[in-house]
């Protein structure tokens, strides 16, 4: 089992930046990939970015490419999502997730509690 705790959300003006953190504990040696998802009110949860835990591959949704950067520090069992040039449409609850295998949407079995990101115009 993997436990995930997100932090770093908050309220920011459009154009601003936030860095989300996701601290993992438990069976961290088995993590294959970590992902960030988000869910805005009335919308389905969508994948934002993923990273293989070995750091060799990343994925970004088109809506965040060039603005968001995913990274991880394996020594700290922590993943990050650096979000720059934030837009009001980025407002959502952001969740981190971890998988034991694969990095497609359906592979993520472990989830954090979510952190709210609100971008004002």
């Amino acid at each position: 089992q993997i436990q995930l705790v997100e932090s770093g959300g908050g309220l920011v003006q459009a154009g601003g930046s936030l860095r989300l953190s996701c601290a993992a504990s438990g069976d961290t040696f088995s993590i294959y990939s970590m992902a960030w998802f988000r869910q805005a009110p009335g919308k389905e949860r969508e994948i934002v970015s993923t990273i293989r835990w070995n750091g060799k591959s990343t994925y970004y949704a088109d809506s965040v490419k060039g603005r968001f950067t995913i990274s991880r520090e394996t020594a700290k069992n922590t993943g990050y999502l650096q979000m720059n040039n934030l837009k009001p449409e980025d407002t959502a609850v952001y969740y981190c997730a971890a998988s034991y295998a694969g990095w497609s949407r359906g592979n993520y079995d472990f989830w954090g509690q979510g952190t709210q990101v609100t971008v004002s115009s």
Side-chain angles (χ1 to χ4, degrees), residues 24-78:
S25 61
D27 190 16
T28 58
F29 287 106
S30 298
I31 294 177
Y32 180 85
S33 68
M34 182 175 280
W36 290 93
F37 290 75
R38 67 185 181 187
Q39 188 166 20
K43 294 188 177 182
E44 291 188 357
R45 190 172 297 189
E46 62 175 352
I47 196 163
V48 175
S49 182
T50 63
I51 185 167
R52 286 183 58 182
W53 204 238
N54 62 13
K56 292 184 177 180
S57 300
T58 59
Y59 162 83
Y60 295 94
D62 287 343
S63 57
V64 306
K65 277 182 185 175
R67 300 189 298 122
F68 290 10
T69 303
I70 193 170
S71 62
R72 89 282 179 263
E73 284 188 75
T74 54
K76 294 184 177 180
N77 292 319
T78 301

CSV table of all heavy atoms in Angstrom, one decimal, residues 24-78:
chain,number,residue,atom,x,y,z
A,24,ALA,N,4.9,10.6,-0.4
A,24,ALA,CA,4.5,9.2,-0.5
A,24,ALA,C,5.1,8.5,0.7
A,24,ALA,O,6.3,8.7,1.1
A,24,ALA,CB,4.9,8.5,-1.8
A,25,SER,N,4.4,7.5,1.3
A,25,SER,CA,4.9,6.6,2.3
A,25,SER,C,4.3,5.3,2.1
A,25,SER,O,3.4,5.1,1.4
A,25,SER,CB,4.5,7.2,3.7
A,25,SER,OG,3.1,7.3,3.8
A,26,GLY,N,4.9,4.3,2.8
A,26,GLY,CA,4.4,2.9,2.7
A,26,GLY,C,5.3,2.2,1.7
A,26,GLY,O,6.6,2.3,1.8
A,27,ASP,N,4.8,1.5,0.8
A,27,ASP,CA,5.5,0.6,-0.1
A,27,ASP,C,6.0,1.5,-1.3
A,27,ASP,O,5.8,1.2,-2.5
A,27,ASP,CB,4.5,-0.4,-0.6
A,27,ASP,CG,5.3,-1.5,-1.4
A,27,ASP,OD1,6.5,-1.6,-1.3
A,27,ASP,OD2,4.6,-2.2,-2.2
A,28,THR,N,6.9,2.5,-0.9
A,28,THR,CA,7.4,3.4,-2.0
A,28,THR,C,8.3,2.7,-2.9
A,28,THR,O,8.5,3.2,-4.1
A,28,THR,CB,8.0,4.6,-1.3
A,28,THR,OG1,9.1,4.2,-0.5
A,28,THR,CG2,7.0,5.4,-0.5
A,29,PHE,N,9.0,1.7,-2.5
A,29,PHE,CA,9.9,1.0,-3.4
A,29,PHE,C,9.2,0.4,-4.6
A,29,PHE,O,9.9,0.1,-5.7
A,29,PHE,CB,10.7,-0.1,-2.7
A,29,PHE,CG,11.7,0.4,-1.7
A,29,PHE,CD1,11.5,0.4,-0.4
A,29,PHE,CD2,12.9,1.0,-2.2
A,29,PHE,CE1,12.4,0.8,0.6
A,29,PHE,CE2,13.8,1.5,-1.3
A,29,PHE,CZ,13.6,1.4,0.1
A,30,SER,N,7.9,0.3,-4.5
A,30,SER,CA,7.2,-0.4,-5.6
A,30,SER,C,6.5,0.7,-6.6
A,30,SER,O,5.8,0.3,-7.5
A,30,SER,CB,6.1,-1.3,-5.1
A,30,SER,OG,6.7,-2.3,-4.3
A,31,ILE,N,6.7,2.0,-6.3
A,31,ILE,CA,6.1,3.0,-7.2
A,31,ILE,C,6.7,2.9,-8.6
A,31,ILE,O,7.9,2.9,-8.8
A,31,ILE,CB,6.3,4.4,-6.6
A,31,ILE,CG1,5.6,4.5,-5.3
A,31,ILE,CG2,5.8,5.4,-7.6
A,31,ILE,CD1,5.8,5.9,-4.6
A,32,TYR,N,5.8,2.8,-9.6
A,32,TYR,CA,6.2,2.8,-11.0
A,32,TYR,C,6.1,4.2,-11.6
A,32,TYR,O,7.0,4.7,-12.3
A,32,TYR,CB,5.4,1.8,-11.8
A,32,TYR,CG,5.8,1.8,-13.2
A,32,TYR,CD1,6.9,1.0,-13.7
A,32,TYR,CD2,5.1,2.6,-14.2
A,32,TYR,CE1,7.2,1.0,-15.0
A,32,TYR,CE2,5.5,2.6,-15.5
A,32,TYR,CZ,6.6,1.8,-15.9
A,32,TYR,OH,6.9,1.8,-17.2
A,33,SER,N,5.0,4.8,-11.3
A,33,SER,CA,4.8,6.2,-11.8
A,33,SER,C,3.9,7.0,-10.8
A,33,SER,O,3.2,6.4,-10.0
A,33,SER,CB,4.2,6.2,-13.1
A,33,SER,OG,2.8,5.7,-13.1
A,34,MET,N,4.0,8.3,-10.9
A,34,MET,CA,3.2,9.2,-10.1
A,34,MET,C,2.5,10.1,-11.1
A,34,MET,O,3.1,10.5,-12.2
A,34,MET,CB,4.0,10.0,-9.1
A,34,MET,CG,3.2,10.9,-8.3
A,34,MET,SD,4.2,11.7,-7.0
A,34,MET,CE,4.2,10.4,-5.7
A,35,ALA,N,1.3,10.5,-10.8
A,35,ALA,CA,0.6,11.4,-11.7
A,35,ALA,C,-0.1,12.5,-10.9
A,35,ALA,O,-0.4,12.3,-9.7
A,35,ALA,CB,-0.5,10.6,-12.4
A,36,TRP,N,-0.5,13.5,-11.6
A,36,TRP,CA,-1.3,14.6,-11.0
A,36,TRP,C,-2.6,14.6,-11.9
A,36,TRP,O,-2.5,14.7,-13.1
A,36,TRP,CB,-0.7,15.9,-11.1
A,36,TRP,CG,0.4,16.0,-10.1
A,36,TRP,CD1,1.8,15.8,-10.3
A,36,TRP,CD2,0.3,16.4,-8.7
A,36,TRP,NE1,2.5,16.0,-9.1
A,36,TRP,CE2,1.6,16.4,-8.1
A,36,TRP,CE3,-0.7,16.8,-7.9
A,36,TRP,CZ2,1.9,16.7,-6.8
A,36,TRP,CZ3,-0.5,17.1,-6.5
A,36,TRP,CH2,0.8,17.0,-6.0
A,37,PHE,N,-3.7,14.6,-11.2
A,37,PHE,CA,-5.0,14.7,-11.8
A,37,PHE,C,-5.7,16.0,-11.2
A,37,PHE,O,-5.3,16.5,-10.2
A,37,PHE,CB,-5.9,13.5,-11.5
A,37,PHE,CG,-5.6,12.2,-12.1
A,37,PHE,CD1,-4.5,11.5,-11.7
A,37,PHE,CD2,-6.3,11.7,-13.2
A,37,PHE,CE1,-4.1,10.3,-12.3
A,37,PHE,CE2,-6.0,10.5,-13.8
A,37,PHE,CZ,-4.9,9.8,-13.3
A,38,ARG,N,-6.7,16.5,-11.9
A,38,ARG,CA,-7.5,17.6,-11.3
A,38,ARG,C,-8.9,17.4,-11.7
A,38,ARG,O,-9.3,16.8,-12.7
A,38,ARG,CB,-7.0,18.9,-11.8
A,38,ARG,CG,-7.2,19.2,-13.3
A,38,ARG,CD,-6.5,20.5,-13.7
A,38,ARG,NE,-6.7,20.8,-15.1
A,38,ARG,CZ,-6.1,21.8,-15.7
A,38,ARG,NH1,-5.3,22.6,-15.1
A,38,ARG,NH2,-6.3,22.0,-17.0
A,39,GLN,N,-9.8,18.0,-10.8
A,39,GLN,CA,-11.2,17.9,-11.0
A,39,GLN,C,-11.8,19.2,-10.7
A,39,GLN,O,-11.8,19.7,-9.5
A,39,GLN,CB,-11.8,16.8,-10.2
A,39,GLN,CG,-13.3,16.6,-10.6
A,39,GLN,CD,-13.8,15.3,-10.0
A,39,GLN,OE1,-13.3,14.7,-9.1
A,39,GLN,NE2,-14.9,14.8,-10.6
A,40,ALA,N,-12.4,19.9,-11.7
A,40,ALA,CA,-13.1,21.1,-11.5
A,40,ALA,C,-14.6,20.8,-11.2
A,40,ALA,O,-15.1,19.8,-11.6
A,40,ALA,CB,-13.0,22.0,-12.7
A,41,PRO,N,-15.3,21.8,-10.5
A,41,PRO,CA,-16.7,21.5,-10.2
A,41,PRO,C,-17.5,21.2,-11.5
A,41,PRO,O,-17.4,21.9,-12.5
A,41,PRO,CB,-17.1,22.9,-9.6
A,41,PRO,CG,-15.9,23.4,-9.1
A,41,PRO,CD,-14.8,23.0,-10.0
A,42,GLY,N,-18.3,20.1,-11.4
A,42,GLY,CA,-19.1,19.8,-12.5
A,42,GLY,C,-18.4,19.1,-13.7
A,42,GLY,O,-19.0,18.8,-14.7
A,43,LYS,N,-17.1,18.9,-13.5
A,43,LYS,CA,-16.4,18.2,-14.6
A,43,LYS,C,-15.8,16.9,-14.2
A,43,LYS,O,-15.6,16.7,-13.0
A,43,LYS,CB,-15.3,19.2,-15.1
A,43,LYS,CG,-15.8,20.4,-15.8
A,43,LYS,CD,-14.6,21.2,-16.4
A,43,LYS,CE,-15.1,22.4,-17.1
A,43,LYS,NZ,-14.0,23.2,-17.8
A,44,GLU,N,-15.4,16.1,-15.1
A,44,GLU,CA,-14.8,14.8,-14.8
A,44,GLU,C,-13.3,15.1,-14.4
A,44,GLU,O,-12.7,16.1,-14.8
A,44,GLU,CB,-14.8,13.9,-16.0
A,44,GLU,CG,-16.2,13.4,-16.3
A,44,GLU,CD,-16.2,12.3,-17.4
A,44,GLU,OE1,-15.1,12.0,-17.9
A,44,GLU,OE2,-17.2,11.8,-17.7
A,45,ARG,N,-12.8,14.1,-13.6
A,45,ARG,CA,-11.4,14.2,-13.2
A,45,ARG,C,-10.5,13.9,-14.5
A,45,ARG,O,-10.8,13.0,-15.3
A,45,ARG,CB,-11.1,13.1,-12.2
A,45,ARG,CG,-9.7,13.2,-11.6
A,45,ARG,CD,-9.6,12.3,-10.4
A,45,ARG,NE,-10.5,12.6,-9.3
A,45,ARG,CZ,-10.5,12.0,-8.1
A,45,ARG,NH1,-9.5,11.1,-7.9
A,45,ARG,NH2,-11.4,12.3,-7.2
A,46,GLU,N,-9.5,14.8,-14.7
A,46,GLU,CA,-8.7,14.7,-15.9
A,46,GLU,C,-7.2,14.5,-15.4
A,46,GLU,O,-6.8,15.1,-14.4
A,46,GLU,CB,-8.9,15.9,-16.8
A,46,GLU,CG,-8.5,17.2,-16.2
A,46,GLU,CD,-8.5,18.4,-17.1
A,46,GLU,OE1,-8.8,18.1,-18.3
A,46,GLU,OE2,-8.3,19.5,-16.7
A,47,ILE,N,-6.5,13.9,-16.3
A,47,ILE,CA,-5.1,13.7,-16.0
A,47,ILE,C,-4.4,15.0,-16.5
A,47,ILE,O,-4.6,15.5,-17.5
A,47,ILE,CB,-4.5,12.4,-16.7
A,47,ILE,CG1,-3.2,12.0,-16.1
A,47,ILE,CG2,-4.5,12.6,-18.2
A,47,ILE,CD1,-2.8,10.6,-16.5
A,48,VAL,N,-3.4,15.4,-15.6
A,48,VAL,CA,-2.7,16.6,-15.9
A,48,VAL,C,-1.3,16.3,-16.4
A,48,VAL,O,-0.8,16.8,-17.4
A,48,VAL,CB,-2.6,17.5,-14.7
A,48,VAL,CG1,-1.8,18.8,-14.9
A,48,VAL,CG2,-4.0,18.0,-14.3
A,49,SER,N,-0.6,15.4,-15.6
A,49,SER,CA,0.8,15.1,-15.9
A,49,SER,C,1.2,13.8,-15.2
A,49,SER,O,0.6,13.5,-14.2
A,49,SER,CB,1.7,16.3,-15.4
A,49,SER,OG,3.0,16.0,-15.7
A,50,THR,N,2.1,13.1,-15.8
A,50,THR,CA,2.6,11.9,-15.2
A,50,THR,C,4.1,11.8,-15.3
A,50,THR,O,4.7,12.4,-16.2
A,50,THR,CB,2.0,10.6,-15.8
A,50,THR,OG1,2.4,10.6,-17.2
A,50,THR,CG2,0.5,10.6,-15.8
A,51,ILE,N,4.7,11.1,-14.4
A,51,ILE,CA,6.2,10.9,-14.5
A,51,ILE,C,6.5,9.4,-14.0
A,51,ILE,O,5.9,8.9,-13.1
A,51,ILE,CB,6.9,11.9,-13.6
A,51,ILE,CG1,8.4,11.8,-13.8
A,51,ILE,CG2,6.5,11.8,-12.1
A,51,ILE,CD1,9.2,12.9,-13.2
A,52,ARG,N,7.3,8.8,-14.8
A,52,ARG,CA,7.8,7.5,-14.3
A,52,ARG,C,8.7,7.8,-13.2
A,52,ARG,O,9.5,8.7,-13.2
A,52,ARG,CB,8.5,6.8,-15.5
A,52,ARG,CG,7.6,6.2,-16.5
A,52,ARG,CD,8.3,5.4,-17.6
A,52,ARG,NE,9.1,4.3,-17.0
A,52,ARG,CZ,9.8,3.5,-17.8
A,52,ARG,NH1,9.9,3.7,-19.1
A,52,ARG,NH2,10.5,2.5,-17.2
A,53,TRP,N,8.7,6.9,-12.2
A,53,TRP,CA,9.4,7.2,-11.0
A,53,TRP,C,10.9,7.2,-11.2
A,53,TRP,O,11.7,7.8,-10.4
A,53,TRP,CB,9.0,6.1,-9.9
A,53,TRP,CG,9.3,6.6,-8.5
A,53,TRP,CD1,10.1,6.0,-7.5
A,53,TRP,CD2,8.7,7.8,-7.8
A,53,TRP,NE1,10.1,6.7,-6.4
A,53,TRP,CE2,9.2,7.8,-6.5
A,53,TRP,CE3,7.9,8.8,-8.2
A,53,TRP,CZ2,8.9,8.8,-5.6
A,53,TRP,CZ3,7.6,9.8,-7.4
A,53,TRP,CH2,8.1,9.8,-6.1
A,54,ASN,N,11.4,6.5,-12.3
A,54,ASN,CA,12.8,6.5,-12.6
A,54,ASN,C,13.2,7.9,-13.3
A,54,ASN,O,14.3,8.1,-13.6
A,54,ASN,CB,13.2,5.3,-13.4
A,54,ASN,CG,12.5,5.3,-14.8
A,54,ASN,OD1,11.9,6.2,-15.2
A,54,ASN,ND2,12.6,4.1,-15.4
A,55,GLY,N,12.2,8.7,-13.5
A,55,GLY,CA,12.4,10.0,-14.1
A,55,GLY,C,12.6,10.0,-15.6
A,55,GLY,O,12.9,11.1,-16.2
A,56,LYS,N,12.6,8.9,-16.3
A,56,LYS,CA,12.9,8.8,-17.7
A,56,LYS,C,11.9,9.3,-18.6
A,56,LYS,O,12.1,9.6,-19.8
A,56,LYS,CB,13.4,7.4,-18.0
A,56,LYS,CG,14.7,7.0,-17.4
A,56,LYS,CD,15.1,5.6,-17.8
A,56,LYS,CE,16.4,5.2,-17.2
A,56,LYS,NZ,16.9,3.9,-17.7
A,57,SER,N,10.6,9.4,-18.2
A,57,SER,CA,9.6,9.8,-19.1
A,57,SER,C,8.5,10.6,-18.3
A,57,SER,O,8.3,10.4,-17.1
A,57,SER,CB,8.8,8.5,-19.6
A,57,SER,OG,9.7,7.7,-20.3
A,58,THR,N,8.0,11.6,-19.0
A,58,THR,CA,6.9,12.5,-18.5
A,58,THR,C,5.9,12.6,-19.6
A,58,THR,O,6.1,12.4,-20.8
A,58,THR,CB,7.5,13.8,-18.1
A,58,THR,OG1,8.1,14.5,-19.2
A,58,THR,CG2,8.5,13.8,-17.0
A,59,TYR,N,4.7,13.0,-19.1
A,59,TYR,CA,3.6,13.3,-20.0
A,59,TYR,C,2.9,14.5,-19.4
A,59,TYR,O,2.7,14.7,-18.2
A,59,TYR,CB,2.6,12.1,-20.0
A,59,TYR,CG,1.2,12.5,-20.5
A,59,TYR,CD1,1.0,12.5,-21.9
A,59,TYR,CD2,0.2,12.9,-19.6
A,59,TYR,CE1,-0.3,12.9,-22.3
A,59,TYR,CE2,-1.0,13.2,-20.1
A,59,TYR,CZ,-1.3,13.3,-21.5
A,59,TYR,OH,-2.5,13.6,-21.9
A,60,TYR,N,2.4,15.4,-20.4
A,60,TYR,CA,1.6,16.5,-20.0
A,60,TYR,C,0.4,16.6,-20.9
A,60,TYR,O,0.4,16.4,-22.1
A,60,TYR,CB,2.4,17.8,-20.2
A,60,TYR,CG,3.6,17.9,-19.3
A,60,TYR,CD1,4.9,17.5,-19.7
A,60,TYR,CD2,3.5,18.4,-18.0
A,60,TYR,CE1,6.0,17.6,-18.9
A,60,TYR,CE2,4.6,18.5,-17.2
A,60,TYR,CZ,5.8,18.1,-17.6
A,60,TYR,OH,6.9,18.2,-16.8
A,61,ALA,N,-0.7,17.0,-20.3
A,61,ALA,CA,-1.9,17.3,-21.0
A,61,ALA,C,-1.7,18.6,-21.9
A,61,ALA,O,-0.9,19.4,-21.5
A,61,ALA,CB,-3.1,17.5,-20.1
A,62,ASP,N,-2.3,18.6,-23.0
A,62,ASP,CA,-2.0,19.8,-23.9
A,62,ASP,C,-2.3,21.1,-23.2
A,62,ASP,O,-1.7,22.1,-23.4
A,62,ASP,CB,-2.9,19.7,-25.2
A,62,ASP,CG,-2.4,18.6,-26.1
A,62,ASP,OD1,-1.3,18.2,-26.0
A,62,ASP,OD2,-3.2,18.2,-27.0
A,63,SER,N,-3.3,21.1,-22.3
A,63,SER,CA,-3.7,22.3,-21.7
A,63,SER,C,-2.7,22.9,-20.7
A,63,SER,O,-2.8,24.1,-20.3
A,63,SER,CB,-5.0,22.1,-20.9
A,63,SER,OG,-4.9,21.1,-20.0
A,64,VAL,N,-1.7,22.1,-20.3
A,64,VAL,CA,-0.7,22.6,-19.4
A,64,VAL,C,0.7,22.6,-19.9
A,64,VAL,O,1.6,23.0,-19.2
A,64,VAL,CB,-0.8,21.8,-18.0
A,64,VAL,CG1,-2.2,21.8,-17.5
A,64,VAL,CG2,-0.3,20.4,-18.2
A,65,LYS,N,0.9,22.1,-21.1
A,65,LYS,CA,2.2,22.0,-21.7
A,65,LYS,C,2.9,23.4,-21.8
A,65,LYS,O,2.2,24.3,-22.1
A,65,LYS,CB,2.2,21.4,-23.1
A,65,LYS,CG,2.1,19.9,-23.2
A,65,LYS,CD,2.1,19.4,-24.6
A,65,LYS,CE,2.0,17.9,-24.7
A,65,LYS,NZ,1.8,17.4,-26.0
A,66,GLY,N,4.1,23.4,-21.4
A,66,GLY,CA,4.8,24.7,-21.4
A,66,GLY,C,4.6,25.5,-20.1
A,66,GLY,O,5.3,26.5,-19.9
A,67,ARG,N,3.6,25.2,-19.3
A,67,ARG,CA,3.4,25.9,-18.1
A,67,ARG,C,3.6,25.1,-16.8
A,67,ARG,O,4.0,25.7,-15.8
A,67,ARG,CB,1.9,26.4,-18.1
A,67,ARG,CG,1.5,27.3,-19.3
A,67,ARG,CD,0.1,27.9,-19.1
A,67,ARG,NE,-0.9,26.9,-19.1
A,67,ARG,CZ,-1.8,26.7,-18.0
A,67,ARG,NH1,-1.7,27.5,-17.0
A,67,ARG,NH2,-2.7,25.8,-18.1
A,68,PHE,N,3.4,23.8,-16.9
A,68,PHE,CA,3.5,23.0,-15.7
A,68,PHE,C,4.7,22.1,-15.9
A,68,PHE,O,5.1,21.6,-17.0
A,68,PHE,CB,2.3,22.1,-15.5
A,68,PHE,CG,1.1,22.8,-15.1
A,68,PHE,CD1,1.0,24.2,-15.1
A,68,PHE,CD2,-0.1,22.1,-14.6
A,68,PHE,CE1,-0.2,24.8,-14.7
A,68,PHE,CE2,-1.2,22.7,-14.2
A,68,PHE,CZ,-1.3,24.1,-14.3
A,69,THR,N,5.4,21.8,-14.8
A,69,THR,CA,6.5,20.8,-14.8
A,69,THR,C,6.4,19.8,-13.7
A,69,THR,O,6.2,20.2,-12.5
A,69,THR,CB,7.9,21.6,-14.7
A,69,THR,OG1,8.0,22.6,-15.7
A,69,THR,CG2,9.0,20.6,-14.7
A,70,ILE,N,6.4,18.6,-14.0
A,70,ILE,CA,6.4,17.5,-13.0
A,70,ILE,C,7.8,17.0,-12.7
A,70,ILE,O,8.7,17.0,-13.6
A,70,ILE,CB,5.5,16.3,-13.5
A,70,ILE,CG1,5.1,15.4,-12.4
A,70,ILE,CG2,6.1,15.6,-14.7
A,70,ILE,CD1,4.1,14.4,-12.8
A,71,SER,N,8.0,16.7,-11.5
A,71,SER,CA,9.3,16.2,-11.1
A,71,SER,C,9.2,15.3,-9.9
A,71,SER,O,8.1,15.2,-9.3
A,71,SER,CB,10.3,17.3,-10.8
A,71,SER,OG,9.8,18.1,-9.7
A,72,ARG,N,10.2,14.7,-9.4
A,72,ARG,CA,10.2,13.9,-8.2
A,72,ARG,C,11.6,13.8,-7.6
A,72,ARG,O,12.6,14.0,-8.3
A,72,ARG,CB,9.6,12.5,-8.5
A,72,ARG,CG,10.7,11.4,-8.9
A,72,ARG,CD,11.1,11.5,-10.3
A,72,ARG,NE,12.1,10.5,-10.6
A,72,ARG,CZ,13.4,10.7,-10.6
A,72,ARG,NH1,13.9,11.9,-10.3
A,72,ARG,NH2,14.2,9.8,-11.0
A,73,GLU,N,11.6,13.6,-6.3
A,73,GLU,CA,12.8,13.4,-5.5
A,73,GLU,C,12.7,12.0,-4.9
A,73,GLU,O,12.0,11.9,-3.9
A,73,GLU,CB,13.0,14.5,-4.5
A,73,GLU,CG,13.5,15.8,-5.0
A,73,GLU,CD,13.9,16.7,-3.8
A,73,GLU,OE1,15.0,16.5,-3.2
A,73,GLU,OE2,13.1,17.6,-3.5
A,74,THR,N,13.3,11.0,-5.5
A,74,THR,CA,13.1,9.7,-4.9
A,74,THR,C,13.6,9.5,-3.5
A,74,THR,O,13.1,8.8,-2.7
A,74,THR,CB,13.8,8.7,-5.9
A,74,THR,OG1,15.1,9.0,-6.1
A,74,THR,CG2,13.1,8.6,-7.2
A,75,ALA,N,14.7,10.3,-3.2
A,75,ALA,CA,15.3,10.2,-1.9
A,75,ALA,C,14.3,10.7,-0.8
A,75,ALA,O,14.3,10.2,0.4
A,75,ALA,CB,16.6,11.0,-1.8
A,76,LYS,N,13.4,11.6,-1.2
A,76,LYS,CA,12.4,12.1,-0.3
A,76,LYS,C,11.0,11.4,-0.5
A,76,LYS,O,10.0,11.8,0.2
A,76,LYS,CB,12.2,13.6,-0.4
A,76,LYS,CG,13.5,14.4,0.0
A,76,LYS,CD,13.2,15.9,-0.1
A,76,LYS,CE,14.4,16.6,0.4
A,76,LYS,NZ,14.2,18.1,0.4
A,77,ASN,N,10.9,10.5,-1.5
A,77,ASN,CA,9.6,9.9,-1.8
A,77,ASN,C,8.6,11.0,-2.1
A,77,ASN,O,7.4,10.8,-1.6
A,77,ASN,CB,9.2,8.9,-0.8
A,77,ASN,CG,10.1,7.7,-0.6
A,77,ASN,OD1,10.5,7.2,-1.7
A,77,ASN,ND2,10.4,7.3,0.6
A,78,THR,N,8.9,12.0,-2.8
A,78,THR,CA,8.1,13.1,-3.0
A,78,THR,C,8.0,13.5,-4.5
A,78,THR,O,9.0,13.6,-5.1
A,78,THR,CB,8.5,14.4,-2.2
A,78,THR,OG1,8.5,14.0,-0.8
A,78,THR,CG2,7.6,15.5,-2.4
